[in-house]
Amino acid sequence: MSAFVTDQFRILNAGSFVESISNNSYYAFLGLSNPTPGSVGFGRTDNWDTSTTNNPVDNFQYLSHYRNTSLFGKKITTENARRVIRKVQWVSNTPYDMYRHDYRQGNESSVSKTARLYDSNYYIITSEFKVYICIDNGSSTPDGTDPTVTGSLIEPTQTDVEPSVVGSDGYRWKYLFSILPSDVIKFDSTEYITVPNDWETSTNSDIQIIREGGDSDINDNQIKAVYIENGGTGYSSGPASIVGDGSGATVSIVADSSGTITSATVTNGGKGYTYGIIDLSANSGSGSKLIPIIPPSKGHGYNIYEELGTDKVLMYARFDDSTKDFPIDTKFAQVGIIKNPETFSSTPYVGTGVTFTENAFSSLYAVGLTTSRNVVIGEQITQSTSGAKGYVASFDTDTKVLKYYQDRSLCFGNKVDQTDSNSTTNIIAFNSTNDITFTQSSGSSSIDTNLNGSVIVVNSKQINLGVTFANGLANPEINKKTGNIIYIDNRPEVQRDSRQKEDIKIILEF
């Protein structure tokens, strides 16, 4: 017995995820400042920047590894998440599919030749960032032959409630919404179109007009189009009704001199239809096949998520030097999303049980040094007396603050599968009484035990350090053993600098 998960289930999950953002703490994070086989185990021995092989691993071992190697995170709010659909741009003289409720194997879309509505090109975005669906593309075939669809010649611009023909090309477009300039700037991509949030409950008058069909009543499944698959013979022109599980829908039939139906124009959309047929008993004739096109939900524009198939969510975050926790001298090779990390705890497994909710977090340990020095981002540091080890993520030559992280690869000689012990000790914390030695940049530095608090003055300039120091040491702002990693992406190494902004756009598909 065959079964499948419906498209509507995926659309529902995408909507539920967007709604959950307001009740949870989701963060986009950047991580891994040393993406080389010699310093981190990812089951790899090749060049990290080889795009065909730097695939992330999805198991519990590496989920904790991603937490440990994370650098900093930026909170994702509902303002920075949108449901999205494929980008289908209007281009002159390009043919487009029409909306139909009955695409399937054996009844594919006329242009894209797909058996699934959401895979066909039945909607467009224009140069004015207006989104329309195609109610009719002129593909009706009164002679019963295979449909031939000509290209659309006139770009629609109207914002009327009712679908309208904008020119002589035969296309009839239904306006849905316009993308706000702020959303264009933030979410624009080459592959996707953003869809407004809160369509079902919005009190915006422009949305209400489209959603409710222009009056206080909802669209209520008004039929907007009839497709002629075969015009038959012997018919007379005149009115006809649409019968089915709704009521009130009528069409105007036009037949040519041989009685072939060449036009069936909806004169009253009626209400409540989920199926229907044209009653031609008063028009006589035979052999016709006229298909009323049933709109989605309660009518075109009522539920754009269902109508457009929004089973993907785009999440946006910007990382730049204006945010206190984001060092500009670091590197990263991972992008991820973590849900509900907890505030830092000195006993991680016990934890605080308190979800971190601030706008941004640093997931790095930090140490203040007494002297400035050159470092290599990603190199290993060690305290010989304590045995503590870590990897350099950043060093600020003005504040002399070094940021680092510790992960399990420090304990293994075999970096690939991390099975042979390289040390008889666990990862231990740095202390403030021993010098730190550097593997690649060589030499050592003392810890500034007088560094306390979160603010330092350098050359009469007050600098916020982002984290709080005690005797030269500072902890991350989150408990790195907590939170659910729901997305991870390995990328070619990116080197940050002071003039650089990283706009992270992540697509989640449900």
Side-chain angles (χ1 to χ4, degrees):
M1 183 177 181
S2 60
F4 61 90
V5 174
T6 69
D7 291 324
Q8 303 311 310
F9 181 75
R10 286 183 276 269
I11 294 168
L12 179 64
N13 283 347
S16 297
F17 178 79
V18 172
E19 291 173 3
S20 76
I21 293 175
S22 61
N23 299 317
N24 294 277
S25 288
Y26 288 94
Y27 292 87
F29 69 86
L30 306 181
L32 197 61
S33 64
N34 57 346
T36 60
S39 63
V40 62
F42 273 81
R44 301 163 48 81
T45 56
D46 58 341
N47 184 347
W48 177 268
D49 288 342
T50 303
S51 61
T52 57
T53 54
N54 59 346
N55 297 319
V57 179
D58 186 8
N59 63 25
F60 288 116
Q61 177 186 19
Y62 282 96
L63 289 176
S64 60
H65 197 285
Y66 302 141
R67 294 188 191 93
N68 287 335
T69 58
S70 67
L71 306 173
F72 35 79
K74 187 75 173 286
K75 192 169 188 178
I76 298 174
T77 63
T78 53
E79 289 74 23
N80 289 330
R82 291 288 187 277
R83 280 170 271 202
V84 295
I85 54 176
R86 290 183 302 113
K87 178 176 279 188
V88 182
Q89 292 182 302
W90 184 87
V91 178
S92 180
N93 206 29
T94 298
Y96 297 96
D97 295 305
M98 63 178 284
Y99 170 87
R100 285 188 61 165
H101 64 292
D102 58 351
Y103 288 135
R104 64 185 185 281
Q105 292 293 336
N107 185 41
E108 289 83 6
S109 58
S110 55
V111 177
S112 303
K113 304 301 180 184
T114 65
R116 179 174 176 265
L117 173 66
Y118 299 137
D119 291 331
S120 64
N121 294 336
Y122 66 101
Y123 61 83
I124 58 165
I125 182 171
T126 69
S127 59
E128 295 179 336
F129 297 99
K130 295 175 181 176
V131 176
Y132 300 80
I133 61 168
C134 181
I135 298 298
D136 192 345
N137 62 357
S139 61
S140 286
T141 54
D143 59 1
T145 60
D146 290 335
T148 300
V149 183
T150 59
S152 174
L153 300 176
I154 302 174
E155 184 178 28
T157 58
Q158 83 282 1
T159 57
D160 303 332
V161 172
E162 290 297 320
S164 59
V165 176
V166 296
S168 58
D169 58 8
Y171 279 80
R172 191 154 61 108
W173 300 101
K174 162 67 176 174
Y175 171 73
L176 291 181
F177 62 89
S178 298
I179 300 177
L180 297 174
S182 57
D183 281 356
V184 172
I185 294 171
K186 185 182 294 184
F187 297 106
D188 186 43
S189 84
T190 58
E191 298 181 46
Y192 297 101
I193 300 169
T194 61
V195 177
N197 282 342
D198 303 322
W199 183 271
E200 307 102 315
T201 58
S202 176
T203 58
N204 179 286
S205 59
D206 293 335
I207 290 177
Q208 283 183 316
I209 289 172
I210 300 300
R211 187 182 67 215
E212 297 170 1
D215 55 40
S216 58
D217 296 325
I218 59 177
N219 288 320
D220 209 7
N221 289 77
Q222 293 180 9
I223 293 173
K224 301 295 184 183
V226 173
Y227 182 84
I228 304 173
E229 190 167 308
N230 193 316
T233 58
Y235 291 94
S236 59
S237 300
S241 60
I242 300 177
V243 297
D245 61 347
S247 62
T250 57
V251 297
S252 176
I253 300 296
V254 175
D256 63 15
S257 57
S258 64
T260 297
I261 296 173
T262 59
S263 172
T265 304
V266 176
T267 53
N268 189 325
K271 62 180 181 180
Y273 287 90
T274 63
Y275 70 89
I277 60 173
I278 311 296
D279 181 4
L280 295 172
S281 59
N283 303 77
S284 65
S286 63
S288 68
K289 187 175 182 180
L290 276 58
I291 304 171
I293 304 302
I294 307 299
S297 185
K298 295 180 180 179
H300 292 294
Y302 178 75
N303 183 337
I304 58 172
Y305 309 127
E306 178 182 309
E307 187 160 6
L308 296 174
T310 55
D311 60 356
K312 301 176 182 66
V313 175
L314 187 154
M315 306 180 78
Y316 168 87
R318 166 170 284 191
F319 295 85
D320 57 33
D321 60 349
S322 67
T323 308
K324 62 180 182 179
D325 292 324
F326 305 157
I328 60 176
D329 64 327
T330 192
K331 301 182 292 185
F332 67 90
Q334 282 180 342
V335 175
I337 297 175
I338 187 170
K339 175 186 177 183
N340 291 341
E342 295 180 5
T343 57
F344 177 79
S345 171
S346 58
T347 53
Y349 282 113
V350 176
T352 62
V354 178
T355 300
F356 190 85
T357 60
E358 299 298 322
N359 182 58
F361 67 72
S362 170
S363 47
L364 295 169
Y365 291 90
V367 57
L369 303 183
T370 56
T371 57
S372 187
R373 57 170 291 117
N374 293 321
V375 302
V376 176
I377 302 301
E379 72 171 305
Q380 183 174 309
I381 56 175
T382 305
Q383 275 188 327
S384 57
T385 303
S386 68
K389 300 176 183 177
Y391 292 118
V392 173
S394 168
F395 182 71
D396 189 318
T397 55
D398 291 330
T399 63
K400 305 182 188 64
V401 168
L402 182 145
K403 295 185 177 182
Y404 66 95
Y405 61 83
Q406 298 173 302
D407 69 86
R408 62 165 56 87
S409 68
L410 294 164
C411 297
F412 295 93
N414 182 343
K415 307 296 184 184
V416 177
D417 57 21
Q418 300 177 356
T419 54
D420 67 316
S421 176
N422 191 40
S423 172
T424 57
T425 62
N426 296 320
I427 293 176
I428 58 177
F430 282 75
N431 61 52
S432 57
T433 60
N434 295 286
D435 289 351
I436 294 175
T437 59
F438 294 79
T439 304
Q440 290 177 256
S441 57
S442 70
S444 63
S445 294
S446 300
I447 296 175
D448 181 5
T449 57
N450 294 318
L451 179 58
N452 294 285
S454 59
V455 176
I456 190 172
V457 177
V458 178
N459 297 325
S460 302
K461 180 181 179 181
Q462 186 170 288
I463 299 175
N464 189 328
L465 299 175
V467 291
T468 302
F469 284 80
N471 299 321
L473 302 176
N475 293 312
E477 293 177 299
I478 63 167
N479 184 344
K480 300 181 77 165
K481 295 184 183 295
T482 63
N484 295 314
I485 304 287
I486 65 169
Y487 174 89
I488 198 75
D489 180 20
N490 289 343
R491 302 187 177 189
E493 182 182 289
V494 176
Q495 175 69 59
R496 302 199 75 215
D497 67 47
S498 59
R499 296 167 295 177
Q500 186 169 297
K501 296 179 176 64
E502 283 82 32
D503 283 340
I504 304 299
K505 298 177 182 178
I506 297 171
I507 302 292
L508 300 181
E509 185 169 357
F510 293 85

